[in-house]
Amino acid sequence: MRRPPERRRAGPVCLLWAVLALPALTADRLGLNEPRAAWWLAAGLAVLAVAVGVSRRRPLTAFALTAALSLADAPALFTVSYGPALGVFALLLGLRAAGARAAAVCFASVAGAGIARIALTGADPAPEFLVMTGTLLFGCVFPWLGGRYWRQSRQLAEAGWLRAARLEDEQRHAEERARLRERARIAQDMHDSLGHELSLIALRAGALQVAPGLADEHRSAAADLRAAAADATERLHRIIGVLREDDEPVPLTPAGETVEQLVARAAESGLAVRWEPSGGPAALPPGGVAERLLHRVVREALTNAARHAPGAPVVVAVGRKGPDAVVTVTNGRATGEGSRSSGGSGLLGLRAAVTAAGGDFEAGPHGEGFRVRARVPARQSRTAPAPREARPAAAPLTRARRRVALGLGAAAGAGAVLVGAAFGWYAYTETRSVLEPSAFAGLRLGAPAGEVARVLPDGEVHDPPADRAPAPPAGTTCRYYRSSGELLVSVDHFRLCFDDKGRLAAKDVIPRVGPSGEGREELREMSR
């Protein structure tokens, strides 16, 4: 038994959630983030689970949930815990969402919310704004463009296969048309040569049969010869019928034949048909679409009259009804026995063709006979446009790939510049706030602020770990400094507290997050 689709999808969904939850579970313990409460970690994992669950059908909702979680965790949007999830859901958004407007609105909303949060709660707005902009471009927009490129590549590949299939169908239809033309040529040759010769043989045999002074056995042989010629002619018609299509006879008429010429040729063949043109201007534009369609209508109507109403007079009337061309083919009562076959789908095909051209088609009994009437818009044939220079089939695909590559390159370049600027500013501010451990150890409690300032760095820590520090002495003002210039890792911090007289009242070491490092005990001794 096959598993239902929901069960088959449960495995990849759980695997994706586990991969995205791994950074959130390990970042705090590795010292890459400030430690978080257990309830906050559980809430973040729950939000990631919901985002993974809805990412297939609602990728925009999944990205919005992850962006909101990242903004709640860090004002600058960048966080080691949820940064990978943000990039993955941005990629899925570009891959699974068709339009770009909703994604652009979501990116703008995330940027607006981040700017507002930085302005309200950010300790140092300038670097946080740069970090947020770089994260939004390089960690959201760039993966989203990558997903759109992936989606467009798949669509272009599918369109290429469909184009190849259409080209194969067109080639097959061209071969079929060539085969039909060859059938028509064979049928024409057989009809012109063999039919004419057999008709002459039958005519001569009939004349020989009624010749005076002919013995009875010779007269019988001439009758047999005439019957054999008639049978050969009938077999010839059957062979020609095999060479023709079942749904429509092969057009053996000359190219460009008008309706009037068709009627004249039918009259020369012995059909009692009369041509009644309109007394006004030309009813049909020569070479137009209407003339070719009405030619088909008249041909089918004359064929049906000859088959089902032999000997009946036929009238073909062509005129105008406003800007449209109208043709009416009416036959009277048959004088001989017609074909008993019910016919094919010729009238149904004519009705579909005329209706598709915007006209009307009627066919049915009329008096003692039958009438076919068609109205077709008399549209002029359009001049064929000049052939344009042929372009390779891969040109649209190449141009689309070039546009996507340029978009990805621009986004990558802008993101790299912003991220580089943000990292440079971060490195500059962090290295300017490093207090050497030896200088910290040499500070004595009660020293005036001027003496202490000689060994202090130019800057202070803008995001001090105040939540991990012990309570400062009452009535003091504290400053925080880094003990090392290492970047992107948690380091020990020094805290110096001054009283209202400007004297050093306390100095403390705030240990880094994570396992105890080498030299931790020495730093604690320095704070004493």
Side-chain angles (χ1 to χ4, degrees), residues 56 66 68 73 76 101 146 169 226 232 262 291 370 386 401 418 428 441 514 524:
R56 180 173 296 275
T66 310
D73 191 62
R101 180 177 301 177
D169 291 340
R226 184 175 63 84
L262 172 65
E291 185 181 25
F370 197 85
R401 287 178 174 175
L418 290 174
Y428 174 72
R524 290 180 178 175

Side-chain angles (χ1 to χ4, degrees), residues 204-524:
R204 293 177 182 177
L208 181 61
Q209 182 182 1
V210 297
L214 191 66
D216 292 340
E217 60 273 12
H218 294 163
R219 196 180 304 276
S220 177
D224 293 339
L225 179 60
R226 184 175 63 84
D231 291 341
T233 304
E234 180 64 24
R235 284 195 298 271
L236 175 63
H237 289 311
R238 292 178 182 177
I239 292 174
I240 294 176
V242 171
L243 292 177
R244 295 175 180 175
E245 289 294 306
D246 295 335
D247 56 349
E248 183 178 353
V250 175
L252 300 178
T253 59
E257 183 186 48
T258 64
V259 176
E260 184 177 1
Q261 293 172 350
L262 172 65
V263 174
R265 191 161 57 86
E268 293 175 358
S269 302
L271 185 65
V273 58
R274 186 174 76 254
W275 168 256
E276 291 186 356
S278 63
L284 297 174
V289 177
E291 185 181 25
R292 292 196 298 269
L293 186 55
L294 294 186
H295 182 282
R296 178 180 173 185
V297 172
V298 172
R299 184 187 61 194
E300 180 67 22
L302 294 179
T303 302
N304 290 340
R307 291 179 57 189
H308 303 289
V314 183
V315 178
V316 179
V318 179
R320 271 190 177 278
K321 185 178 181 181
D324 302 336
V326 180
V327 64
T328 304
V329 182
T330 308
N331 64 269
R333 187 176 57 182
T335 59
E337 184 178 359
S339 175
R340 297 182 179 179
S341 62
S342 59
S345 59
L347 294 180
L348 295 178
L350 287 178
R351 184 185 301 277
V354 173
T355 304
D360 299 327
F361 183 84
E362 299 177 0
H366 180 74
E368 296 182 350
F370 197 85
R371 185 178 69 175
V372 175
R373 183 179 181 274
R375 180 189 61 82
V376 180
R379 294 174 293 181
Q380 295 288 343
S381 59
R382 298 181 179 178
T383 304
R388 294 181 296 181
E389 182 181 357
R391 295 183 179 179
L397 180 61
T398 303
R399 290 195 299 271
R401 287 178 174 175
R402 186 181 297 113
R403 289 194 301 269
V404 174
L406 290 176
L408 290 176
V417 170
L418 290 174
V419 170
F423 183 79
W425 179 263
Y426 165 76
Y428 174 72
T429 55
E430 295 299 321
T431 53
R432 289 178 66 250
S433 62
V434 176
L435 176 60
E436 295 295 334
S438 58
F440 175 77
L443 297 177
R444 60 182 180 84
L445 298 178
E451 179 182 345
V452 176
R454 289 196 295 267
V455 298
L456 295 180
D458 296 334
E460 300 179 19
V461 174
H462 295 287
D463 52 345
D467 55 340
R468 294 187 282 110
T476 59
T477 301
C478 300
R479 304 175 186 175
Y480 294 83
Y481 301 93
R482 294 170 60 91
S483 64
S484 172
E486 297 179 84
L487 302 177
L488 301 178
V489 295
S490 180
V491 298
D492 296 322
H493 287 74
F494 296 140
R495 186 181 70 176
L496 304 179
C497 297
F498 297 87
D499 56 17
D500 53 358
K501 296 181 180 181
R503 296 179 179 180
L504 182 62
K507 63 175 187 176
D508 302 289
V509 177
I510 304 174
R512 69 173 68 97
V513 178
S516 59
E518 188 176 334
R520 179 68 58 81
E521 295 298 331
E522 297 179 1
L523 293 176
R524 290 180 178 175

